[in-house]
Amino acid sequence: MFVLTVAAENQVPLAKGIQHPPQSTATVSISVIDVNESPYFVPDPKIERKEEGLPAGTVLTTFTAQDPDRYMPQTALRYSKLSDPANWLRIDPNTGQITTTGVLDRESPHVKNNMYNATFLASDTGIPPMSGSGTLQIILLDINDNAPRVDPQEATTCETLQPNATNITAIDDDIDPNAGPFAFELPINPPSVRKNWTIIRISGDRAQLALRIKFLEAGIYDVPIIITDSGNPPKSSTSILKVKVCQCDINGDCTDADRIVGAGLGTGAIIAILLCIITLLILVLMFVVWMKRRDKERQAKQLLIDPEDDVRDNILKYDEEGGGEEDQVRNASSVPTDR
């Protein structure tokens, strides 16, 4: 309850003869009825700096809220998860302790500018129940967990020494100091790689691939390239660069692109396609022959059952006895007579 004293006074003096004081006061009592208010997190947002790659089950922090309704009879706050895009976190409903349920990855598409945002909810048991939200911002520190790779994965060069160099670029999902400058080299095996090709680094993330021999037949070649980053410890990988070797004009432009595209299918793929086409043609031919044979058989059956040439009219019977005149005479002469 609040008690206020209110005073009122005329701005103009009272007329003469009026027996009233120039000022009047009154006391006002105000009773404030408490209503349930939303809990709030402190601080909001809460910022945590953690190294990426932490395993599942790691305790990150405790994120709790306060309830402004201190004099209302209600139980403790309950915590729940409102937004967790990568489903990496879990919050204890009673204590607000946050633990990981997955491995935190800075390179995840859910991480923006090295920061991962998750939102949690605190709810009371008032009438009506109220809730408030708070945001946890996790700044993920990079570790060297990604190997560099070549980009793009295709290149074109000429089949002769000049001009034949092609530039390649290495990329790494990690950031400094776990990225460039990169080291480029060709593997020892198979021996044909170092026999046919050479690679020279021209900057921290770029290298130049060129032919070592005077001439290489036009076609598509898979060239393995080993790229190593500057992390501690360093991480490396072998990227396959698909190189199209073609005939070039004096400007170094490929002049037989169509033939190279056909060669890109590979001998095995071309043979498989040809076999499929031949098999399909054989099946079609067999079907046509079968249809023609079926038509001939149908026509032959129709000729056999033609009513004008019923085969039953052409059947001749032999060795029949009796009924004829000659047979009767012959039989009569063969009967013995009594004398």
Side-chain angles (χ1 to χ4, degrees):
M1 178 179 291
F2 296 89
V3 178
L4 301 178
T5 300
V6 181
E9 182 178 0
N10 276 355
Q11 293 182 351
V12 179
L14 296 177
K16 294 182 179 181
I18 296 178
Q19 303 297 322
H20 290 288
Q23 183 180 13
S24 178
T25 60
T27 301
V28 179
S29 299
I30 301 175
S31 297
V32 179
I33 300 175
D34 192 14
V35 295
N36 193 24
E37 299 178 69
S38 301
Y40 57 93
F41 284 86
V42 179
D44 185 24
K46 185 172 185 178
I47 299 176
E48 292 287 333
R49 298 174 63 89
K50 299 293 180 181
E51 192 175 77
E52 68 168 331
L54 293 177
T58 302
V59 177
L60 294 182
T61 186
T62 298
F63 196 20
T64 57
Q66 297 180 3
D67 194 342
D69 302 308
R70 300 180 181 179
Y71 303 105
M72 294 189 67
Q74 55 184 341
T75 58
L77 299 176
R78 300 280 295 180
Y79 300 97
S80 60
K81 188 169 60 176
L82 186 62
S83 173
D84 182 13
N87 198 27
W88 285 341
L89 306 176
R90 175 187 176 275
I91 187 169
D92 187 282
N94 298 314
T95 64
Q97 186 182 74
I98 297 176
T99 56
T100 60
T101 58
V103 179
L104 306 184
D105 184 13
R106 191 196 66 86
E107 292 78 30
S108 168
H110 301 290
V111 177
K112 307 298 181 183
N113 297 323
N114 304 327
M115 183 177 293
Y116 180 73
N117 292 315
T119 306
F120 297 92
L121 198 68
S123 304
D124 61 22
T125 57
I127 301 176
M130 301 295 289
S131 61
S133 63
T135 300
L136 176 65
Q137 295 181 336
I138 305 175
I139 299 176
L140 293 174
L141 307 178
D142 185 46
I143 63 173
N144 194 20
D145 58 343
N146 292 280
R149 62 189 183 276
V150 66
D151 183 72
Q153 297 180 345
E154 295 183 355
T156 302
T157 189
C158 300
E159 60 184 2
T160 57
L161 279 174
Q162 296 295 334
N164 76 331
T166 180
N167 294 332
I168 61 174
T169 303
I171 60 174
D172 196 327
D173 292 332
D174 295 322
I175 58 177
D176 291 336
N178 297 316
F182 302 102
F184 300 84
E185 63 176 329
L186 298 176
I188 299 176
N189 293 312
S192 59
V193 176
R194 291 194 174 186
K195 176 183 177 182
N196 297 336
W197 304 93
T198 180
I199 191 169
I200 301 174
R201 192 179 77 174
I202 57 178
S203 67
D205 60 349
R206 300 180 66 195
Q208 193 172 73
L209 181 71
L211 281 177
R212 182 185 293 273
I213 57 179
K214 294 182 179 180
F215 175 82
L216 184 63
E217 184 180 356
I220 295 183
Y221 297 85
D222 290 337
V223 181
I225 300 175
I226 302 174
I227 307 176
T228 306
D229 62 24
S230 298
N232 187 20
K235 209 171 186 64
S236 64
S237 69
T238 301
S239 295
I240 302 299
L241 180 66
K242 191 174 292 295
V243 182
K244 297 179 182 179
V245 178
C246 61
Q247 296 178 359
C248 298
D249 55 20
I250 58 176
N251 297 321
D253 297 327
C254 189
T255 59
D256 55 352
D258 295 338
R259 182 168 65 88
I260 297 302
V261 171
L265 294 175
T267 305
I270 294 176
I271 293 175
I273 293 174
L274 292 176
L275 289 177
C276 291
I277 294 175
I278 294 173
T279 303
L280 181 61
L281 292 176
I282 292 174
L283 291 176
V284 172
L285 182 60
M286 292 176 62
F287 179 75
V288 172
V289 172
W290 178 77
M291 290 296 295
K292 289 184 176 181
R293 184 174 181 180
R294 185 179 178 186
D295 291 340
K296 289 181 179 181
E297 292 178 354
R298 185 181 297 111
Q299 293 175 2
K301 289 182 180 179
Q302 290 177 354
L303 293 174
L304 291 174
I305 63 174
D306 195 338
E308 294 181 1
D309 298 324
D310 195 341
V311 295
R312 292 176 296 179
D313 295 340
N314 298 324
I315 297 177
L316 299 178
K317 297 182 180 180
Y318 298 93
D319 298 332
E320 292 186 356
E321 297 181 356
E325 183 177 355
E326 294 179 358
D327 292 338
Q328 292 176 358
V329 174
R330 187 182 300 110
N331 291 336
S333 64
S334 65
V335 176
T337 57
D338 294 334
R339 291 183 179 181

